Amino acid sequence: MKQKRSILIAVLIVLILTAFTVISFFTGKVTMNPAGTVGNTAGNLNNSGLFCEYDGTIYFSNASDNGRLYSMNPDESGLTKLSDLHVRNILAGGKYLYYFQLGDTGDSAGLGNIVSSKSFNRCSLKGKDVTCLTRDVVLQGQLVDNYLYLMTSSSSALSFYKMKIDRSETVPLANYEINPACTANGVIYYNGTQDNHYLYGLDTATDIPSEIWRGNLWYPIVDGDYVYYMDVANNYRLCRYSFSQNLIEVLTTDRVDCYNIGSGYIYYQKNGTTPQLKCMRADGTDQKVIAEGNYTNINMTSQYVYFQEFGKETSLYHSYLGSDSYAEFFMQ
């Protein structure tokens, strides 16, 4: 009887350990993304990535609450606080959110040393299960399928590399500036920063770069047959180039500080003695002034455009796409 009892106890222990191992494996396993996943739009990421629309939900850095991570519906209903961390460069794909956190902004009990310094994190779509992926200072990050492409900065140099979302693989790609914000059809489009400002493409299937077009551009955004860009050689006016027609169109002669494009509209900040936030159609027609003054961090969703006063991170305004008016966006 003693021998049978010992055997039974041993079997039970093995079963319990096996079950614990299986549960631990699956609860800790990172689910891979569907093919074609892109974390955020180029326009949003080039404007600090404060808003990200994914699967019918807006994830955003709430300026009314010290930049903490929130979610809401596209019509701005259903406001929900997800985290006490101050975030930017928000990405979404599959079952996860990714963001660069700039530090603790309040009561963050339970997050341990994640709040002690800047870091690039992964969490669930509900803001839970926060995992630090890197302590590097991320200047720009993009999610492409199952890899994060990160441009980072240290005291000595810039570094561009890719990291698998489960941290199982990290691959150095360049020791100079490559902005991964603009991604379309598995290609990262970026302007040169070394010998020229040509348009280049990094094929994410091979991580091999190639020259696409010998323009003189900054902040490219590829949208269908066009690449929109700031024309470096001509006072940073806004242009677009047609790949199929090999044709440049000047959309505005205003000097542009920043811009975003979506849903057939372009919003941009005009530089000069009379600075203005302006809006126009994607072909440059129907130009109008939205607000007088200096604005920045122009982020767009499917229904609204959001922007901040230059030098005032606690400010946030919104305007319905195509509208002539704007108002303060205050949700807390």
Side-chain angles (χ1 to χ4, degrees):
M1 286 294 295
K2 289 183 179 180
Q3 186 177 9
K4 289 182 179 180
R5 186 179 301 167
S6 299
I7 293 173
L8 180 60
I9 291 173
V11 170
L12 287 174
I13 291 173
V14 170
L15 289 174
I16 291 171
L17 290 175
T18 301
F20 179 78
T21 301
V22 171
I23 291 171
S24 298
F25 174 79
F26 282 104
T27 55
K29 186 178 177 62
V30 175
T31 304
M32 294 294 109
N33 297 322
T37 295
V38 175
N40 203 343
T41 66
N44 284 353
L45 292 176
N46 286 335
N47 285 274
S48 297
L50 302 182
F51 285 74
C52 178
E53 184 167 358
Y54 177 68
D55 198 23
T57 300
I58 309 297
Y59 301 95
F60 69 103
S61 174
N62 191 349
S64 300
D65 193 15
N66 296 309
R68 292 179 169 112
L69 181 64
Y70 276 66
S71 68
M72 64 181 176
N73 297 319
D75 64 0
E76 301 182 339
S77 65
L79 184 72
T80 304
K81 182 178 178 179
L82 302 182
S83 172
D84 279 309
L85 298 175
H86 183 188
V87 304
R88 64 171 174 79
N89 203 119
I90 303 169
L91 308 171
K95 295 186 175 182
Y96 306 103
L97 295 176
Y98 307 82
Y99 55 82
F100 184 69
Q101 71 102 357
L102 289 84
D104 183 16
T105 58
D107 180 14
S108 299
L111 292 180
N113 67 354
I114 282 181
V115 301
S116 65
S117 64
K118 297 177 180 180
S119 62
F120 196 84
N121 303 332
R122 183 190 69 230
C123 68
S124 72
L125 295 176
K126 299 296 184 181
K128 307 299 183 183
D129 304 320
V130 180
T131 299
C132 173
L133 300 179
T134 178
R135 295 286 186 187
D136 292 344
V137 176
V138 175
L139 303 178
Q140 194 70 275
Q142 178 63 287
L143 173 67
V144 185
D145 292 333
N146 293 308
Y147 286 90
L148 293 158
Y149 285 80
L150 305 175
M151 182 175 70
T152 67
S153 174
S154 67
S155 58
S156 58
L158 293 172
S159 178
F160 179 65
Y161 60 89
K162 74 173 185 179
M163 173 191 293
K164 201 162 187 178
I165 60 173
D166 62 0
R167 292 189 297 179
S168 64
E169 182 183 354
T170 301
V171 181
L173 297 174
N175 59 0
Y176 53 87
E177 181 180 354
I178 291 180
N179 181 353
C182 180
T183 301
N185 301 315
V187 176
I188 293 174
Y189 294 92
Y190 62 96
N191 56 264
T193 58
Q194 300 299 101
D195 302 322
N196 54 64
H197 297 141
Y198 297 165
L199 180 66
Y200 292 89
L202 179 75
D203 186 345
T204 59
T206 61
D207 292 325
I208 296 175
S210 60
E211 181 184 298
I212 304 296
W213 175 55
R214 293 194 172 189
N216 194 351
L217 64 158
W218 202 257
Y219 283 158
I221 297 179
V222 172
D223 185 30
D225 182 51
Y226 294 100
V227 56
Y228 294 79
Y229 63 95
M230 293 161 61
D231 186 354
V232 177
N234 291 284
N235 200 35
Y236 290 87
R237 65 187 182 182
L238 199 61
C239 300
R240 69 178 183 179
Y241 169 75
S242 168
F243 293 110
S244 63
Q245 300 179 56
N246 190 28
L247 178 67
I248 295 174
E249 295 178 66
V250 178
L251 303 177
T252 177
T253 57
D254 294 336
R255 180 182 172 92
V256 174
D257 287 334
C258 58
Y259 79 101
N260 202 339
I261 179 171
S263 301
Y265 292 99
I266 298 174
Y267 287 83
Y268 70 93
Q269 174 62 35
K270 172 193 170 187
N271 187 298
T273 55
T274 56
Q276 298 167 323
L277 179 71
K278 302 180 76 173
C279 172
M280 60 184 173
R281 298 284 182 178
D283 61 2
T285 61
D286 194 23
Q287 292 193 22
K288 54 191 173 185
V289 176
I290 304 299
E292 301 285 348
N294 276 307
Y295 296 91
T296 188
N297 290 336
I298 305 168
N299 280 241
M300 297 178 71
T301 66
S302 58
Q303 295 190 29
Y304 288 90
V305 59
Y306 301 86
F307 49 94
Q308 295 180 301
E309 289 182 60
F310 182 78
K312 190 176 179 182
E313 290 188 0
T314 56
S315 68
L316 187 61
Y317 302 90
H318 65 158
S319 175
Y320 198 79
L321 293 184
S323 171
D324 296 332
S325 62
Y326 72 101
E328 185 176 9
F329 178 75
F330 185 84
M331 303 189 76
Q332 192 169 13

